Amino acid sequence: MQRGAIAAAALMILIVAAVLPVSAQDPKLMKFFQDSVALTPDQIAAIRSGQPVAKNLPSRTPAEVFLFGAIYIHATPESYLKFAQDFDRLRKLPNYLAVGVFSNPPQASDLKDFSFDNDDIKALKNCKPGDCLIQMPTNSIEALSSIDWSAPDVGDQVNRQLQKTALQSLLNYQQQGNPVLGVYNDKRDPTEVPQQFAYMLSYSKALPESLPDFYQYLLDYPRAKPSNVENAFYWARVKFGLKPTLRIVQMVTLQGNPSDPVAYAIAQKQLYASHYFETALDLSFCVRGSDDSKLPGFYLIMAMGSEQAGLTGVKGSIVRKTAVGRSVSNLQNALRNIKTTLEGKQ
């Protein structure tokens, strides 16, 4: 499957390539906001004045969703880094039902609460390649043949198998990278996850000089790790829609040099999701700002790309319109809340 979030990747590249320390007359920033993101003069002025701006960007297919958001924050970039890496904060959010951080190296005990609910367990009973209500790679579907579906502890059996498979998949990924992410074979048309991520980052020749190693590392992980990049892995049970979704995510953090325009870049790369998101890559950039006040400041710019199931066809188009509208509103609120939180700690 050759569809992927390429437009989101192009946006992410343009963000870093175009944005420099900001002044009111910065032509490169103006060109980026106007030409690449198609912001209006009022939206550009709103960002510079500390108001959140979020919008949906054009996508190539109905399954793709791309969001852009930006805001100026009177705080240090380091405060955002601490905020983004605070997993205890995630646990307190109403949509996050559970969060677990993996040890280094990952251990089976890290996944003790990583489990399907009763509805998903029931759905798995009739799961077969090409026809499954849970998003799963082929090897996970095949592993269900070892389950005794008539046993009273069937739920425990399923979740032990889930945890075992998830741990081994993560260990394989940490050793071999994207090629072992596998194929979601729950629908008639399989989703080849490694190809989607490779396609997502296929604009490598257009990467800015300041961050080529960061983008190449997202593609080539675990090879050629830059010295200024760190990794963390976590799982979460999240309420995105009607069904709670299990996710495994890699967080890749780049720390720029003091003279670099980008102080930090953070990528959150989805390695697995049980529902909705076939692929997802969220990037955030702390771009050093320049203002005349005594308070430090930076531009927080976010680019979020995903490919989602259930957004195609007549019914899917209706779902898409609602989902995208809600996502834009949620991103705008998130930017506003981040600003309030970080500025309140100064």
Side-chain angles (χ1 to χ4, degrees):
M1 185 174 182
Q2 287 293 317
R3 295 183 303 158
I6 191 65
L11 166 67
M12 299 164 192
I13 292 166
L14 285 168
I15 286 173
V16 187
V19 178
L20 296 172
V22 179
S23 67
Q25 303 300 321
D26 187 341
K28 290 185 178 180
L29 180 67
M30 289 294 296
K31 181 175 178 61
F32 165 69
F33 281 146
Q34 291 176 349
D35 297 346
S36 299
V37 191
L39 296 184
T40 67
D42 287 346
Q43 288 173 318
I44 295 172
I47 293 172
R48 286 175 166 165
S49 66
Q51 299 300 313
V53 170
K55 64 176 295 185
N56 177 47
L57 297 172
S59 58
R60 299 187 307 157
T61 70
E64 297 174 343
V65 175
F66 310 114
L67 304 178
F68 164 86
I71 194 170
Y72 190 83
I73 300 175
H74 288 285
T76 64
E78 289 73 21
S79 66
Y80 177 74
L81 177 67
K82 184 177 180 180
F83 175 90
Q85 296 179 338
D86 185 357
F87 294 105
D88 286 334
R89 174 187 62 84
L90 281 185
R91 294 185 178 98
K92 296 174 184 176
L93 297 178
N95 288 343
Y96 279 78
L97 308 179
V99 176
V101 181
F102 285 99
S103 307
N104 186 18
Q107 308 290 327
S109 58
D110 298 333
L111 288 156
K112 63 182 179 66
D113 296 321
F114 185 77
S115 58
F116 287 127
D117 62 15
N118 290 333
D119 288 341
D120 280 348
I121 291 171
K122 292 177 182 177
L124 286 170
K125 182 178 180 179
N126 299 316
C127 202
K128 59 184 179 180
D131 184 12
C132 187
L133 295 178
I134 313 299
Q135 190 164 260
M136 300 180 75
T138 303
N139 63 333
S140 296
I141 295 176
E142 292 174 345
L144 294 173
S145 62
S146 65
I147 302 298
D148 180 359
W149 294 100
S150 63
D153 67 340
V154 61
D156 291 337
Q157 288 186 56
V158 169
N159 285 321
R160 283 196 299 268
Q161 182 64 49
L162 166 70
Q163 293 163 13
K164 178 182 177 181
T165 302
L167 176 61
Q168 190 58 55
S169 297
L170 179 56
L171 291 172
N172 291 343
Y173 173 75
Q174 291 183 337
Q175 293 174 357
Q176 302 175 54
N178 285 347
V180 300
L181 287 178
V183 178
Y184 290 148
N185 199 23
D186 51 294
K187 300 178 183 65
R188 182 179 60 184
D189 297 322
T191 301
E192 298 182 7
V193 180
Q195 290 189 15
Q196 283 198 349
F197 277 118
Y199 194 39
M200 187 181 298
L201 294 170
S202 62
Y203 275 79
S204 58
K205 64 181 181 180
L207 293 175
E209 292 183 1
S210 59
L211 293 179
D213 292 345
F214 179 64
Y215 282 92
Q216 196 62 40
Y217 182 60
L218 289 177
L219 186 61
D220 291 344
Y221 172 89
R223 298 179 298 277
K225 178 179 175 293
S227 59
N228 61 341
V229 167
E230 297 296 334
N231 288 285
F233 295 86
Y234 70 94
W235 64 264
R237 186 186 299 111
V238 189
K239 192 70 178 295
F240 284 125
L242 298 177
K243 303 175 182 178
T245 298
L246 291 175
R247 300 183 78 209
I248 296 178
V249 179
Q250 178 185 16
M251 179 183 286
V252 185
T253 302
L254 174 142
Q255 180 176 350
N257 294 319
S259 59
D260 292 339
V262 178
Y264 295 100
I266 300 175
Q268 300 210 46
K269 176 182 177 181
Q270 175 187 289
L271 306 183
Y272 172 72
S274 60
H275 295 289
Y276 303 118
F277 295 97
E278 295 174 343
T279 50
L281 179 64
D282 297 348
L283 280 89
S284 56
F285 303 93
C286 297
V287 181
R288 303 181 197 278
S290 62
D291 62 59
D292 297 329
S293 69
K294 295 181 180 180
L295 290 174
F298 69 96
Y299 283 77
L300 176 60
I301 298 177
M302 291 185 170
M304 307 169 71
S306 65
E307 183 158 332
Q308 302 181 29
L311 300 185
T312 59
V314 176
K315 182 179 179 181
S317 65
I318 299 173
V319 174
R320 176 187 171 88
K321 183 177 181 180
T322 301
V324 169
R326 183 171 61 244
S327 296
V328 170
S329 178
N330 288 343
L331 177 55
Q332 189 169 29
N333 290 335
L335 289 167
R336 182 181 295 108
N337 291 337
I338 292 170
K339 175 183 175 70
T340 300
T341 299
L342 299 188
E343 291 185 349
K345 293 181 177 180
Q346 297 302 301

